[in-house]
Structures are given as structure tokens and as C-alpha cells.
Amino acid sequence: MNSMINIALPKGRLGEKAYALLKNSGYDCPAIEEPGRKLIFENPKKGVRYFWVKPSDVAIYVERGAADMGIVGKDILLEYEPDVYELLDLHMGKCRMAVAGKKDFRDPVGQTLKVATKFPNITRNYYSGKCRDIDIIHLNGSIELAPILGLSHVIVDIVETGTTLRENDLTVYEEIVPISARLIANIASYQFKDGEINAIRNGLLQQVEDKL
């Protein structure tokens, strides 16, 4: 069991794209492409075991050692700050973390800025760097409603195409940081399985460079 490299993949399109890169790098696992509800798949010949997890949980599996490696969005790394190694930018799932609000928004200077977000840590760090006093309103969905209904002045959220913002008469005011998928590794695993982990990383790096 311990001789194989355990890789946590995020459920959904990002995970499927990440597996395609791994497959093209020589780390295929035919069972993962079969229909069904299995969550764990392995190919002993290639020395890899994959499992599907919720995207926001990937970093936890890697940090705690249940997975040696994982694919995770940069937003998750910035928000939860897990103690892991970030090995590679996969240049997939590209989007941006941004501040958005109503088109007629004006920063109420002298007042506390009300900010609705799913990402309180990223928001706190960003505005701390600007020395801006804020009130964070932590929401889990439909963030765009907050400024429309007067719950907040602005929102901090992931923006991909901006379509949802435009359809709700909102606009981006500031970009905080670009977001993309990252390859991460468990710190202890990297010490004891560095050869295998680096081989996988290098295979992915070649795939990424070919696509750039």
C-alpha cells in the first residue's frame, strides 16, 4: 500500500482534465474511466492510486498524509493555507479572485466597508494590506445578491467569464490574484518518495509546457 503514490483528484471537470494530463504523462489507470460510483482506483504497474474528493478537501487529504499528491485550486491554498508543498502551476481552471460591486459603487471613505464573500481569509489579508477597515459577511452561495439587496457594499469572489456579474448589473473593481490549478505534495511524502513524486511532476511539467 505504501509503495504507491496516492493522488487526490478534485471531482468535476478540473479533476477530469488533471487526470488526462496524468494519463498522457504515462500514469494512466483504466479503471477510473469505467462508469460507476467507485472513489478509489489503482494501477500497481504504474505505482499510482487515485481517488476522487470534494475540491475543497483535496488540500486536507494531502496535508494530513492520506494523499501524497493532489490537484487543487490556488484559491483553496490561499484561503486555508495548508502546510503542503506547491510543486507546479498546471495552467488549468484559470480565473481570478476579484472585488466586484454595483456599477455605481463608490467606496464609502470613513465608513467600514461591508464585504460579502466565501473567502474570509483571502478577503481579510487583502484589505489588511490596504489598511482598510472591513466587516466580512461570510456567505456560502449567491454572493452576487449581497450588494444588490444592500447586505454588502462589495463582494470578493472567483470570476471566470464575468457573465453572472454582468447579468446582475455588477462589475469587477479590483483583481486580487489570478487563480489556477496547482499540483501539491505532502511534506513527509516528498522527503521519502521524492523520486516518484518528482517523476510525476516532471511528466506533468512536460505536458503543461507543450500546451503553453
Side-chain angles (χ1 to χ4, degrees):
M1 294 285 285
N2 293 328
S3 63
M4 285 202 284
I5 297 296
N6 293 290
I7 303 176
L9 295 174
K11 293 179 180 178
R13 287 184 301 168
L14 180 59
E16 292 168 1
K17 289 180 180 180
Y19 171 70
L21 285 183
L22 288 156
K23 177 181 178 180
N24 292 335
S25 300
Y27 296 95
D28 59 295
C29 183
I32 204 171
E33 300 178 60
E34 297 174 358
R37 294 175 177 266
K38 284 185 63 177
L39 297 175
I40 302 175
F41 313 86
E42 59 184 53
N43 185 341
K45 290 184 178 180
K46 298 298 176 70
V48 291
R49 180 186 294 109
Y50 297 106
F51 47 93
W52 297 114
V53 300
K54 185 177 178 180
S56 58
D57 289 342
V58 170
I60 298 173
Y61 278 86
V62 175
E63 182 179 32
R64 297 282 183 157
D68 300 302
M69 307 176 75
I71 310 295
V72 65
K74 182 65 175 181
D75 54 310
I76 301 299
L77 298 179
L78 291 172
E79 179 62 26
Y80 298 104
E81 300 179 336
D83 192 16
V84 298
Y85 287 141
E86 184 179 325
L87 302 180
L88 181 64
D89 182 349
L90 296 174
H91 292 275
M92 297 189 312
K94 289 185 176 182
C95 51
R96 52 192 170 141
M97 187 70 66
V99 179
K102 296 170 70 173
K103 292 180 179 179
D104 60 354
F105 166 72
R106 294 292 181 273
D107 191 331
V109 178
Q111 299 180 35
T112 298
L113 184 69
K114 294 184 291 184
V115 187
T117 186
K118 300 175 187 175
F119 304 94
N121 194 40
I122 291 175
T123 301
R124 190 177 298 107
N125 289 338
Y126 177 67
Y127 281 105
S128 175
K130 296 170 71 71
C131 297
R132 185 66 170 91
D133 185 31
I134 62 171
D135 174 19
I136 294 177
I137 303 167
H138 191 178
L139 298 177
N140 295 307
S142 301
I143 302 294
E144 296 81 10
L145 276 175
I148 296 172
L149 299 179
L151 179 64
S152 71
H153 293 111
V154 294
I155 63 174
V156 167
D157 202 9
I158 289 176
V159 177
E160 189 170 356
T161 64
T163 300
T164 302
L165 293 177
R166 288 191 296 272
E167 290 181 351
N168 289 281
D169 295 320
L170 303 177
T171 189
V172 171
Y173 283 98
E174 302 168 67
E175 181 175 315
I176 296 176
V177 65
I179 301 294
S180 58
R182 307 301 168 100
L183 176 70
I184 61 174
N186 173 268
I187 292 176
S189 295
Y190 194 75
Q191 293 177 330
F192 295 104
K193 302 179 180 180
D194 59 311
E196 297 92 332
I197 289 175
N198 279 321
I200 293 172
R201 177 197 175 276
N202 292 338
L204 288 174
L205 176 60
Q206 186 62 57
Q207 292 289 315
V208 171
E209 290 180 338
D210 289 345
K211 292 178 181 296
L212 293 179

